[in-house]
Amino acid sequence: MSVPHFLSVLLATFVISSISSSATISSSKAQTFNIKPESFFNPKLPPRTLSSNKKFEGSSNLVDLRYHMGPVLSSSPIKIYLIWYGRWSAPQQLLIKDFILSISSLAEPSPSVADWWRTVSLYTDQTGANVSKSLFIAGEYSDTAYSHGNQLTRLSIQQVIATAVKSAPLPVDHRNGIYLILTSHDVTVQDFCRAVCGFHYFTFPSMVGYTLPYAWIGNSAKQCPEVCAYPFAVPGYMGGGGPGALKSPNDDVGIDGMISVIAHELAELTTNPLVNAWYAGEDPTAPTEIGDLCEGLYGTGGGGGYIGQVMRDRKGRTFNMNGRRGRRFLVQWVWSPVLKACVGPNALD
């Protein structure tokens, strides 16, 4: 995925151990509307540094997304194993878990998180089996002691997984498990903020003992919210260049930004778990995946520096989809293999 869910342009510079889909940086201006249709407006937000996303809604002629015969996560249900690294508050954990559980919830009004996931579930393997529509949280492990320090590399993240598995709080689930490592705001990670907000890959047997698909996402609240929580934060030196940052849907800039990166990584991890299934480009060490293709797009009319038309509630908080327990989220769109374009549940066309 990308920084605020941004298209990764620096992946080619990563060492081989950093091979993964990553969240990188893209530029955007915002276009939002109130619950009342007459309140459309187009605030222009300052651009992010390192931004390079020039994709636009419906850019099928620019995309060569192909299937490379590898597996997708089609077994139901997909089991999410959460690894909370560092110190987290209960409300923060609950907000993230509400988003994940919203993926399989059918009770919310459209546009919903479940509607958004339906695009992901269109992807199939060589047998025709679709990515599962059913996900649930099968286990959690908290490492509040920072057992591998507060400065992690991509390889030491695998050691965090090894600790969680070998100490037995989490099972080894080869078939339909995903290991989601979430680092708190005071943990630095290799390339975090500089080039990525999150990435996914699979563990090395030499490190963990098993090959397990995983994703890492960091909380950027203290380190680089203007990069990884954009558009809820903008660079301070450009704060006077427009109306300022958009208000986050749950009043937590770090976590709300993190949730869109989590969505990006889950979409890519389920459609390309071993980096040999769905991606564009010829180089599997730097694949362009279904989230990368839609970096910075959140609504109809997005592209060319605009996030697209989204909504805001009576308190001015911006969102584009509904979740469980009345939650609302702003999550980037993903590439549809059917429409050959970026798609989201709040699309107006």
Side-chain angles (χ1 to χ4, degrees):
M1 156 139 183
S2 73
V3 203
H5 348 324
F6 330 103
L7 201 74
S8 222
V9 293
L10 303 179
L11 280 178
T13 66
F14 292 167
V15 295
I16 190 68
S17 65
S18 71
I19 294 171
S20 70
S21 162
S22 57
T24 53
I25 304 165
S26 81
S27 84
S28 348
K29 305 164 192 172
Q31 193 174 22
T32 65
F33 61 92
N34 264 329
I35 300 303
K36 297 181 179 180
E38 62 269 20
S39 60
F40 283 77
F41 71 113
N42 296 312
K44 182 179 180 180
L45 298 181
R48 284 187 297 273
T49 56
L50 297 182
S51 92
S52 67
N53 181 23
K54 297 184 177 11
K55 299 286 191 302
F56 56 89
E57 186 185 352
S59 57
S60 58
N61 61 322
L62 302 179
V63 174
D64 182 25
L65 182 72
R66 292 184 291 115
Y67 177 54
H68 295 79
M69 305 306 289
V72 302
L73 294 185
S74 58
S75 298
S76 291
I78 297 172
K79 297 178 182 179
I80 308 291
Y81 299 99
L82 293 174
I83 300 174
W84 304 97
Y85 192 86
R87 294 187 178 90
W88 295 84
S89 71
Q92 288 176 327
Q93 291 178 318
L94 183 59
L95 178 54
I96 289 173
K97 289 191 285 187
D98 275 342
F99 171 74
I100 293 171
L101 294 174
S102 294
I103 291 174
S104 299
S105 178
L106 302 179
E108 285 68 50
S110 293
S112 69
V113 176
D115 294 335
W116 170 82
W117 189 260
R118 286 192 186 100
T119 299
V120 180
S121 68
L122 293 174
Y123 287 86
T124 63
D125 63 16
Q126 57 186 306
T127 71
N130 294 77
V131 169
S132 175
K133 292 182 181 179
S134 176
L135 293 84
F136 81 102
I137 297 170
E140 299 182 55
Y141 170 67
S142 293
D143 190 338
T144 57
Y146 303 80
S147 62
H148 296 275
N150 61 1
Q151 297 180 341
L152 302 177
T153 65
R154 294 196 178 215
L155 285 179
S156 63
I157 284 175
Q158 294 201 20
Q159 293 172 340
V160 172
I161 300 172
T163 298
V165 171
K166 291 176 181 177
S167 59
L170 297 183
V172 173
D173 191 341
H174 299 279
R175 182 169 174 77
N176 52 356
I178 287 177
Y179 296 80
L180 200 59
I181 302 88
L182 307 174
T183 51
S184 57
H185 67 82
D186 54 346
V187 177
T188 61
V189 176
Q190 178 185 356
D191 295 319
F192 186 30
C193 295
R194 184 187 71 80
V196 300
C197 297
F199 64 82
H200 76 84
Y201 203 51
F202 51 85
T203 60
F204 304 142
S206 60
M207 295 289 294
V208 181
Y210 312 93
T211 299
L212 304 170
Y214 75 93
W216 159 79
I217 299 93
N219 184 346
S220 66
K222 302 293 184 181
Q223 299 182 51
C224 59
E226 72 282 0
V227 174
C228 291
Y230 186 94
F232 306 134
V234 298
Y237 64 88
M238 304 188 80
L246 300 183
K247 193 170 183 181
S248 68
N250 298 286
D251 298 316
D252 189 322
V253 168
I255 302 301
D256 278 319
M258 200 175 179
I259 282 171
S260 192
V261 183
I262 290 171
H264 177 124
E265 298 304 333
L266 285 177
E268 295 184 342
L269 187 52
T270 54
T271 56
N272 196 28
L274 300 181
V275 200
N276 61 357
W278 289 95
Y279 64 88
E282 298 302 323
D283 184 2
T285 68
T288 299
E289 298 168 290
I290 71 169
D292 300 324
L293 292 168
C294 302
E295 284 295 349
L297 296 179
Y298 299 81
T300 299
Y306 289 85
I307 69 170
Q309 295 176 352
V310 297
M311 296 166 279
R312 61 176 184 168
D313 64 18
R314 292 184 179 89
K315 294 183 179 180
R317 298 173 296 194
T318 52
F319 68 98
N320 65 351
M321 58 188 73
N322 299 297
R324 70 193 298 265
R325 301 194 315 117
R327 300 283 200 186
R328 287 170 167 173
F329 304 101
L330 186 67
V331 172
Q332 74 151 87
W333 287 9
V334 291
W335 187 262
S336 168
V338 175
L339 298 179
K340 303 295 191 293
C342 295
V343 174
N346 57 314
L348 299 179
D349 51 6

